[in-house]
Amino acid sequence: MALLPRLAALALATVATLAPAQQPATIHVDLAHSLGPWKPITNFYGYDELNYTTAPNGRKLLAELAHTSPLPVYIRAHHLLTSGDGKPALKWSSTNIYTLDAHGHPIYDFKIIDQTFDAWLAAGVRPMVELGFMPEALASGTNPYHLTYPHTIEGSVQSPPKDYAAWGELCRTLVAHLVARYGRDRVATWYFEVWNEPNIPYWHGTEAEYLKLYDYAVAGVRSALPTARVGGPATTSPRDKKAADYLAAFLNHIAHDKSAANGQPIPLDFITFHAKGSPTLIHDTPTTTHVRMGLNKELTDADHGFALIASYPQFKSLPIILSEADPEGCAACSAKENHANGYRNGPLYAAYTAAVIKGLFQLQDKYQVNLLGMLSWSFEFEGRDYFEGFRTLATNGIDKPVLNVFRMTGMLSGTRVATTSSAATPLDTILHTGVPAPEIDALATHTHSGAEVLVWNYQDDDLPDAVAAPMDVDITGLPASVHNVKLQAFTLDRTHSNSFTTWLAMGSPQHPTPAQYQQLEQSSQLKFLDAPHTLTVDHGHITIPATLPAQATTLYRLSW
């Protein structure tokens, strides 16, 4: 059996150190053991501030997202129907699509809508159209319409419509316009989701009023485009019983009621809810702290949500989109505001995401449901400090390290295959206690001409003295006709594919020179760990020995 020369020389050029006499973790990848088709669940992204879509760095990032995968990438954004001047602020945007004339007749203005959708399509991404929030002329609430952050969801922009028929007609008119501008077949490939988190103050109405809102919205959408894909309810974390009950009430409404809009069966093509972790700040001494992630919380949300959906035989096979799936709940809350959000700039965010992806597939398999997407609610903010600690994928046009884990998952394809690891944390343990000790685990896919193995070194605690781990990646089940394979290794850790480390080394400039900016752009891209190698296959088997730094995520890509 031929072994790849150990990759530790490059991998250990990090602040992590190798513990003495540490036994290698053994990862076994069985290419002959299929777990089902690989689904590109990470091809979904979203953000609060719709108006950043057309900002220079917004356009730049959208193009980057489109290139993370050869398959369609979807974008969801709040405030598509909100009234205002089109200027973004934290957790606020507007399109001013709907106003009334002096006689109370609707006036539709699609200028900002068209600019937004044109930008999405020009970048090569597809819309996941979130129908929200309420135009000022339709809002029934008595609070001021627009309140600034952190009080934005207290405004009447979150209130029910004065006239549900007018709301339904707004949804119909919007979709009719999109069909006329972009074509029926193209719009039919998009998703239309009704509102956002109606079980908390993003919706100022009752549960019954949300169900009515849904009925009129999807009736309007389907009136304009009968093949449109519609869904909801985009409720919050099902580990909370009230949120789970709200999701159940929605499914019961679809299953047993008729539409309040037209008396017909109520369409539902996909189901959405949200899954969120909960990082905390641990005080090690009176003067020192570290972040502890809450991965078990995010996976518990998925566990409870999948179990609930699986209890409805008529809905069990419907696509599920976690239309927000993140380590915590507030993208616009920076690390300055909440120090527990300091994880967002470094490689821990990426390793956490890799671990979540595997956990979600395990939960999908457990409940035999149909997970389609886990949407990262993260984008970019204009005019903010570099690496200020928002949950973003880029900062002032510089890609952050976490974006590289999505570039890695974009290379996975074909069939998902079985992996085991001697240093993995069992799923049941993760659900109950998280990942308190370092785990080395993997996710793998296989096609007729290659395979991909994603590995990570993760634990919940962000500790400066965390150690690197030796490992052997043992791959079996290669085709008998294959005698040699080409191996590429991409990695993200504290020194590879990491613009944040580069920025810190520069002295954390808030006004980088053109040369510094160019260096930051270069360091932000996904990097090879080593030059590509050719390996000899021994009876369908190869072993890759390597060392994985703390918080590292590495993708091994084999081709033949």
Side-chain angles (χ1 to χ4, degrees):
M1 176 181 9
L3 301 182
L4 176 67
R6 188 167 293 274
L7 301 177
L10 284 176
L12 283 180
T14 70
V15 295
T17 58
L18 184 62
Q22 190 175 358
Q23 289 299 310
T26 300
I27 293 174
H28 180 223
V29 179
D30 186 354
L31 300 183
H33 184 175
S34 170
L35 299 178
W38 166 256
K39 292 184 287 186
I41 63 171
T42 57
N43 285 15
F44 292 80
Y45 304 90
Y47 43 102
D48 291 89
E49 300 82 5
L50 174 115
N51 297 132
Y52 286 149
T53 301
T54 53
N57 287 328
R59 291 179 184 271
K60 179 181 179 181
L61 180 55
L62 285 169
E64 296 269 11
L65 297 181
H67 288 123
T68 59
S69 173
L71 299 174
V73 169
Y74 286 87
I75 300 294
R76 173 184 187 254
H78 291 342
H79 292 291
L80 185 68
L81 306 178
T82 297
S83 300
D85 59 8
K87 295 179 180 178
L90 286 181
K91 298 183 78 70
W92 180 264
S93 278
S94 57
T95 65
N96 219 42
I97 182 177
Y98 184 94
T99 56
L100 298 176
D101 67 16
H103 304 289
H105 301 135
I107 300 172
Y108 294 98
D109 183 348
F110 293 106
K111 180 181 178 180
I112 296 175
I113 293 280
D114 290 347
Q115 291 172 346
T116 301
F117 280 79
D118 287 355
W120 283 335
L121 298 179
V125 299
R126 296 182 182 181
M128 181 177 177
V129 182
E130 180 197 304
L131 296 171
F133 294 118
M134 197 58 61
E136 188 169 14
L138 277 178
S140 64
T142 57
N143 287 353
Y145 183 72
H146 175 199
L147 296 172
T148 57
Y149 177 80
H151 302 288
T152 46
I153 64 173
E154 298 170 22
S156 63
V157 64
Q158 312 297 158
S159 64
K162 297 174 183 176
D163 183 336
Y164 281 88
W167 161 257
E169 178 60 15
L170 166 61
C171 295
R172 187 204 67 79
T173 302
L174 168 65
V175 177
H177 173 80
L178 296 175
V179 168
R181 185 174 180 86
Y182 302 111
R184 182 173 299 269
D185 291 344
R186 173 181 273 184
V187 178
T189 66
W190 304 350
Y191 295 92
F192 291 85
E193 181 187 41
V194 181
W195 214 258
N196 175 69
E197 299 184 338
N199 60 304
I200 64 171
Y202 269 102
W203 174 246
H204 293 180
T206 64
E207 180 183 282
E209 287 173 320
Y210 171 74
L211 299 178
K212 187 175 181 180
L213 184 89
Y214 180 88
D215 292 355
Y216 274 88
V218 298
V221 170
R222 284 288 188 86
S223 176
L225 182 61
T227 57
R229 298 186 288 198
V230 296
T235 42
T236 59
S237 303
R239 69 177 186 266
D240 175 78
K241 186 178 184 303
K242 290 183 179 179
D245 289 346
Y246 206 108
L247 176 57
F250 172 79
L251 296 176
N252 287 331
H253 175 61
I254 303 297
H256 303 300
D257 298 337
K258 300 296 184 182
S259 171
N262 55 26
Q264 299 298 311
I266 306 164
L268 180 67
D269 299 305
F270 62 94
I271 302 168
T272 62
F273 65 88
H274 296 171
K276 301 284 186 174
S278 182
T280 55
L281 202 63
I282 304 301
H283 291 266
D284 303 308
T285 72
T287 58
T288 61
T289 62
H290 77 270
V291 175
R292 176 174 295 161
M293 304 299 285
L295 185 147
N296 62 316
K297 304 293 195 301
E298 184 171 348
L299 289 182
T300 298
D301 280 338
D303 182 59
H304 290 193
F306 291 174
L308 176 60
I309 292 167
S311 71
Y312 292 82
Q314 65 270 55
F315 300 138
K316 189 174 180 179
S317 64
L318 283 184
I320 299 169
I321 301 174
L322 305 177
S323 55
E324 293 182 24
D326 303 289
E328 31 65 35
C330 181
C333 304
S334 76
K336 291 181 178 179
E337 182 177 345
N338 180 359
H339 294 316
N341 290 336
Y343 75 91
R344 293 166 167 179
N345 288 329
L348 178 61
Y349 189 0
Y352 172 102
T353 301
V356 166
I357 293 166
K358 180 166 187 176
L360 290 176
F361 274 115
Q362 290 175 309
L363 290 169
Q364 173 201 248
D365 296 345
K366 174 182 176 180
Y367 292 106
Q368 292 298 292
V369 293
N370 179 16
L371 176 64
L372 182 69
M374 53 163 288
L375 186 147
S376 176
W377 194 253
S378 52
F379 191 57
E380 67 100 15
F381 291 91
E382 295 283 330
R384 310 296 303 201
D385 285 349
Y386 281 79
F387 297 99
E388 190 170 340
F390 292 103
R391 193 173 69 239
T392 53
L393 301 173
T395 175
N396 291 298
I398 301 299
D399 297 340
K400 292 170 69 174
V402 68
L403 184 52
N404 284 314
V405 79
F406 296 117
R407 290 184 171 120
M408 291 180 186
T409 59
M411 297 186 209
L412 303 178
S413 62
T415 300
R416 187 165 47 93
V417 297
T419 62
T420 59
S421 171
S422 63
T425 306
L427 178 63
D428 286 345
T429 301
I430 293 175
L431 291 172
H432 287 96
T433 61
V435 186
E439 77 154 6
I440 313 299
D441 206 355
L443 181 69
T445 58
H446 171 37
T447 66
H448 71 280
S449 60
E452 298 82 27
V453 184
L454 184 71
V455 297
W456 55 90
N457 182 347
Y458 171 78
Q459 72 178 114
D460 283 334
D461 290 271
D462 186 7
L463 301 174
D465 57 351
V467 299
M471 66 177 181
D472 291 320
V473 181
D474 202 31
I475 304 174
T476 62
L478 280 86
S481 59
V482 175
H483 305 293
N484 296 284
V485 298
K486 177 183 177 182
L487 175 66
Q488 296 172 298
F490 304 87
T491 201
L492 158 63
D493 57 35
R494 287 169 175 158
T495 58
H496 295 87
S497 312
N498 191 328
S499 58
F500 182 54
T501 298
T502 301
W503 180 75
L504 291 175
M506 291 176 176
S508 309
Q510 287 302 331
H511 303 284
T513 66
Q516 287 176 320
Y517 193 89
Q518 183 179 23
Q519 185 181 354
L520 288 169
E521 284 190 307
Q522 292 172 348
S523 66
S524 73
Q525 299 303 300
L526 183 60
K527 297 295 193 300
F528 285 115
L529 177 60
D530 201 355
H533 291 74
T534 298
L535 305 181
T536 301
V537 178
D538 183 3
H539 295 91
H541 179 201
I542 61 171
T543 296
I544 306 169
T547 300
L548 199 62
Q551 303 182 357
T553 307
T554 294
L555 177 70
Y556 295 108
R557 195 174 197 188
L558 290 77
S559 57
W560 56 79

